[in-house]
Amino acid sequence: AQSVTQLDSQVPVFEEAPVELRCNYSSSVSVYLFWYVQYPNQGLQLLLKYLSGSTLVKGINGFEAEFNKSQTSFHLRKPSVHISDTAEYFCAVSDYGGATNKLIFGTGTLLAVQP
Amino acid sequence: DTAVSQTPKYLVTQMGNDKSIKCEQNLGHDTMYWYKQDSKKFLKIMFSYNNKELIINETVPNRFSPKSPDKAHLNLHINSLELGDSAVYFCASSQDPGRGGVYGYTFGSGTRLTVV
């Protein structure tokens, strides 16, 4: 069965510094990966997704992620963070079964941007 | 216009009560979902409907009953509420995965349920 692991529960970083949020997955079939962001007291918003093709995926708000099959990773990066990027970030894998599209989420990483 | 809207946003109720949460999407999607987010922010799928048909039913107490009157609406009814039901419940929608694709979800803003 598919699963994702986000090893870092919290990542503190100073404003304008680069950041990487780690995500590792396990899957026995084709892999479809997503990153979502959850701002305080809001729903989840899709940042980016990898379905196939180029392993470097660009998303909204300046974020990007790289799919690495050999390391079973899909780390999220941003070269320079802002205070407004403070939020919970979730990695997810699709348990696509042809007729169903169940997303399995990691436990989340809180990105805490400090001035 | 809100794409996926849930009501109510907050719900405080006593143990043993029965309550419902409503969800509506105006995106034209065929598939809708209910997820539960616990106090540690862990998200777990509960149910999914595709064109009013139940397609995912995870291990959830049968006190929880989803209902989809049409493909734009998915409601969640909870009987005999317990303290452990306190959580944030998210509705989401996506295009029909049966069309041969993998699609991301659009989430509602959540319903924070507190059972006292």
Side-chain angles (χ1 to χ4, degrees):
Chain A
Q2 278 90 326
S3 67
V4 291
T5 301
Q6 294 181 249
L7 288 173
D8 305 306
S9 60
Q10 187 168 346
V11 173
V13 64
F14 288 107
E15 195 173 17
E16 297 184 6
V19 70
E20 178 179 85
L21 305 184
R22 297 182 294 167
C23 173
N24 288 89
Y25 68 90
S26 67
S27 174
S28 57
V29 294
S30 298
V31 179
Y32 308 101
L33 294 158
F34 302 79
W35 275 101
Y36 281 83
V37 59
Q38 185 180 24
Y39 298 104
N41 297 316
Q42 294 187 29
L44 283 79
Q45 180 182 0
L46 181 64
L47 271 180
L48 48 80
K49 60 187 175 186
Y50 171 79
L51 303 182
S52 64
S54 173
T55 56
L56 183 62
V57 181
K58 293 192 183 297
I60 62 171
N61 301 341
F63 283 93
E64 63 181 31
E66 185 154 20
F67 172 64
N68 188 319
K69 189 174 182 179
S70 63
Q71 296 187 5
T72 61
S73 67
F74 190 54
H75 300 333
L76 181 71
R77 301 186 183 102
K78 186 169 183 178
S80 175
V81 295
H82 303 287
I83 294 285
S84 59
D85 292 322
T86 295
E88 194 85 28
Y89 290 80
F90 292 93
C91 184
V93 63
S94 170
D95 187 15
Y96 179 61
T100 63
N101 180 28
K102 179 168 66 174
L103 284 188
I104 298 165
F105 287 86
T107 49
T109 298
L110 175 62
L111 175 61
V113 182
Q114 304 162 28
Chain B
D1 280 344
T2 304
V4 179
S5 59
Q6 294 179 230
T7 54
K9 191 170 176 65
Y10 300 96
L11 184 54
V12 181
T13 188
Q14 290 187 327
M15 277 194 305
N17 284 350
D18 303 338
K19 290 293 178 186
S20 291
I21 306 171
K22 295 187 176 183
C23 179
E24 175 181 4
Q25 55 95 4
N26 62 6
L27 297 167
H29 288 164
D30 296 300
T31 308
M32 297 183 72
Y33 311 81
W34 278 112
Y35 273 78
K36 179 180 180 180
Q37 186 175 47
D38 64 22
S39 58
K40 295 184 178 178
K41 301 269 186 179
F42 183 63
L43 281 151
K44 191 174 191 310
I45 192 166
M46 301 172 71
F47 304 102
S48 176
Y49 270 76
N50 186 325
N51 264 320
K52 301 191 296 177
E53 180 184 350
L54 182 66
I55 57 172
I56 295 174
N57 186 352
E58 295 291 292
T59 307
V60 176
N62 57 15
R63 297 182 294 103
F64 290 79
S65 54
K67 281 190 172 50
S68 181
D70 56 60
K71 73 174 191 177
H73 295 83
L74 179 61
N75 304 323
L76 182 65
H77 188 76
I78 315 170
N79 289 326
S80 303
L81 278 155
E82 300 177 357
L83 293 176
D85 298 331
S86 295
V88 181
Y89 292 85
F90 284 102
C91 177
S93 71
S94 77
Q95 290 179 295
D96 182 359
R99 294 182 185 176
V102 176
Y103 304 100
Y105 295 178
T106 301
F107 280 86
S109 56
T111 295
R112 183 173 296 275
L113 172 65
T114 304
V115 182
V116 297

